[in-house]
DNA sequence: GTTCCATATCTTGTATGCAAGTTTATCGAA
DNA sequence: TTCGATAAACTTGCATACAAGATATGGAAC
């Protein structure tokens, strides 16, 4: 490998110090600074696009858990080369949505049933501190917006619009996080609950569920508005408890989409790629 | 196994009986694809190695926040090509440890001071539920192991061995998570506190700090052993409160390593601000 | 001196070819 | 048929080449 032109690489160190900027460099950054934000979401690269598409399809179960993915076929499908596809898959592997076996193949992860419970515990812990802080800090206009979201849910429930209901549901929780001043927590919650979200797509139509959830939200919000943090936390806890209600039944009906995880033993795991997942084919 | 002496081929055929129709290009629908494997070690790929090295160096501040990274120079430094280096950098970007600007360059992220507080809140929330559950579920042998870790901390504190102390500290918290049956929570905590860990490397030598922390751990553990969940949670909360004690001073002394407003997570309408105008006019 | 512009030289993004394993298919023998 | 060995066809991991945008440099004009 030929080194081109040694200009400032007198030092062979791979880490160069901070590049200094001229005093008026800021004005030149206008064009790039316009779109150069949102590190996790939409970049303008092909890899990001492939990632988003695959992410959506996996979460929505449009690609079934256990399905095999091929970098080559995905590449020709998306009309790009393997490189961006591979980057997307690596990222999905970090989120435990796909499993890459080095020289063998890549599959969409089955839903790790054993992790669902822990994910819900995590979500509860995070949302409780969030709703407590939001009870203190939320402004009047934020309460107005929250009530509007509850109303949107009520309408969606009446119209039996599950998609719209879910969107408003997410927006409700996100708005609470914003009111609390904890945007990172909501981002974290979203990261943790991916497997739960996949499972949600299997929920059976249960009469009155959406209206019940709406009422639970209203209870949380009412307590918040009274600045009663404890009561709001209790209401939120009660609300999130409802999540794990029908999980065993859902699992029973779609056994092939789940996997029992035996012993995750990743304690000081070097920031490891992902927990080892033992698949237990129960044919 | 219910199958009587089924050969591998027969098992394969049995798997095959499900539809192998490709509903979408690139997605092959199979019932059970990859056989369970035990890659106990995380990954033996070059990309993983590069990632681990860079991760360590960034966390330990051996690479200073704000430094520029070049895929080419890193590649020749590691003796590999750009591809595995790039994969490592993309992963580090997901963790907000580096920032990749598409056609411009890659830099090591400065420590987002505004996120430190939220990270500590998150850690508190997660560790509190963990210690509460561990108070219920921990076995006698686990308590023995935990006391041993406390003792190791005491010894390290006496010997003024900061590295050994920190290792035992981490192990203590990890062991509590394991006793609680929440391995995923500890993994998540580790992910969240990366920026806090970087900051920890800037802590000034403060007399008696290690011994104080050891006593706090002992208090947590004593409450756990009495199965007093509330008291254990309170002790843990008190322990973690100590984290944010000297943060402002640390930041004041190393202002160039921090950035005020990073993260910029546009949750609602208002557009994000410009990411960073390098305010480091060296020379 | 300052300002502006062309250009050389960086940077990362993507495509492609090869290497090294793994799985599947094929063929032959008992 | 059943089993076994061999080879063909996959798979991902990595190296390399090229493309396109961003930055720094140098010189010309004023």
């Amino acid at each position: 490998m030929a080194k081109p032109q040694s200009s400032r690489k007198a030092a062979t160190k791979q880490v160069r110090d901070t590049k200094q900027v001229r005093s008026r460099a800021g004005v030149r950054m206008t064009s790039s600074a316009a779109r150069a934000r949102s590190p996790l979401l939409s970049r303008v690269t092909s890899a990001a696009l492939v990632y988003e598409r695959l992410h959506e399809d996996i979460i929505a179960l449009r690609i079934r858990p256990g399905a095999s993915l091929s970098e080559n076929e995905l590449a020709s499908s998306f009309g790009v080369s393997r490189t961006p596809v591979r980057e997307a898959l690596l990222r999905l592997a970090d989120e435990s949505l796909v499993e890459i076996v080095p020289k063998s193949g890549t599959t969409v992860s089955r839903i790790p049933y054993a992790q669902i419970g822990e994910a819900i515990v995590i979500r509860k812990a995070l949302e409780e501190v969030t709703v407590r802080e939001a009870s203190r800090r939320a402004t009047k206009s934020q309460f107005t917006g929250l009530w509007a979201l509850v109303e949107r849910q009520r309408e969606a429930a009446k119209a039996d619009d599950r998609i719209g209901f879910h969107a408003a549901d997410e927006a409700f929780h996100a708005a609470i996080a914003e009111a609390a001043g904890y945007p990172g927590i909501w981002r974290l919650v979203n990261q943790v609950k991916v497997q739960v979200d996949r499972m949600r797509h299997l929920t059976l139509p249960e009469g009155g569920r959406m209206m019940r959830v709406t009422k639970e939200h209203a209870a949380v919000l009412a307590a918040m508005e009274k600045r009663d943090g404890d009561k709001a936390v209790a209401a939120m806890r009660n609300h999130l408890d409802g999540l794990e209600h029908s999980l065993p039944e859902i699992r029973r009906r779609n056994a092939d989409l789940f996997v029992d995880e035996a012993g995750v033993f990743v304690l000081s795991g070097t920031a490891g790629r992902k927990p080892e997942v033992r698949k237990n084919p129960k044919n």
Side-chain angles (χ1 to χ4, degrees), chain A:
Chain A
M1 181 179 187
K3 277 295 189 185
Q5 256 307 24
S6 68
S7 60
R8 71 166 179 278
K9 54 165 39 68
T12 59
K13 60 178 181 177
Q14 67 284 12
V15 178
R16 300 183 317 254
D17 211 359
T18 308
K19 288 187 269 191
Q20 80 282 3
V21 200
R22 307 177 85 114
S23 48
R24 59 179 66 83
V27 295
R28 214 191 272 112
M29 298 181 66
T30 53
S31 64
S32 71
R35 59 147 172 80
R37 214 40 193 169
S38 75
L40 274 174
L41 282 180
S42 63
R43 260 194 298 172
V44 289
T45 63
S46 301
L49 192 137
V50 173
Y51 167 80
E52 289 182 10
R53 285 282 297 274
L54 285 178
H55 186 86
E56 286 178 18
D57 285 351
I58 292 174
I59 294 288
L61 297 185
R62 283 189 290 271
I63 308 180
R64 285 180 79 79
S68 291
L69 301 178
S70 161
E71 293 182 359
N72 270 318
E73 299 185 13
L74 286 171
S76 57
S77 161
F78 280 102
V80 297
S81 79
R82 272 183 56 208
T83 307
V85 170
R86 179 172 174 75
E87 290 181 0
L89 288 177
L90 286 169
R91 220 170 129 191
L92 292 169
D94 278 339
E95 304 179 45
S96 297
L97 287 179
V98 306
E99 296 173 16
I100 302 176
V101 182
K103 294 290 176 58
S104 171
T106 300
T107 64
V108 176
S109 302
R110 287 184 168 77
I111 303 174
Y113 187 76
Q115 289 184 357
I116 298 286
E118 194 173 355
I120 293 178
V121 168
I122 292 171
R123 177 169 186 185
K124 271 193 228 172
L126 294 178
E127 293 234 44
E128 283 174 20
V129 297
T130 301
V131 75
R132 168 163 277 129
E133 184 68 11
S135 295
R136 270 202 295 270
R137 298 183 43 175
T139 66
K140 226 168 200 153
S141 68
Q142 285 171 328
F143 280 123
T144 307
L146 283 165
W147 280 118
L149 286 173
V150 171
E151 188 53 39
R152 244 174 65 191
Q153 288 172 78
R154 203 186 315 270
E155 294 166 3
K158 276 185 186 170
D160 203 51
D161 173 15
R162 289 177 65 173
I163 296 178
F165 180 83
H166 174 64
D169 188 335
E170 294 271 300
F172 180 78
H173 288 270
I176 290 180
E178 191 195 10
Y182 291 153
I185 288 190
W186 180 240
R187 188 176 24 174
L188 195 64
V189 166
N190 268 293
Q191 176 195 316
V192 168
K193 71 188 179 69
V194 282
Q195 305 293 1
V196 184
D197 282 337
R198 294 215 287 170
M199 201 159 177
R200 185 180 54 76
H201 283 271
L202 298 171
T203 51
L204 331 165
E206 167 199 346
R209 185 185 66 88
M210 288 191 280
M211 196 53 86
R212 190 196 70 225
V213 168
T214 304
K215 284 176 183 165
E216 290 168 358
H217 280 179
V220 172
L221 187 46
M224 284 174 59
E225 210 162 20
K226 287 186 215 153
R227 308 293 183 184
D228 188 343
D230 288 335
K231 194 171 179 181
V233 167
M236 178 64 84
R237 186 176 303 156
N238 171 67
H239 169 48
L240 293 177
D241 276 340
L243 281 182
E244 34 202 340
H245 184 254
S246 53
L247 297 191
E249 175 67 13
I250 293 176
R251 181 183 188 281
R252 209 180 54 76
R253 297 204 184 194
N254 309 81
D256 58 320
L257 303 185
F258 291 87
V259 59
D260 289 324
E261 196 160 349
V264 189
F265 195 68
V266 190
L267 280 190
S268 60
T270 66
R273 185 163 209 73
K274 66 182 185 55
E276 68 169 346
V277 177
R278 286 195 170 82
K279 285 192 279 189
N280 192 7
K282 49 211 158 302
N283 294 339

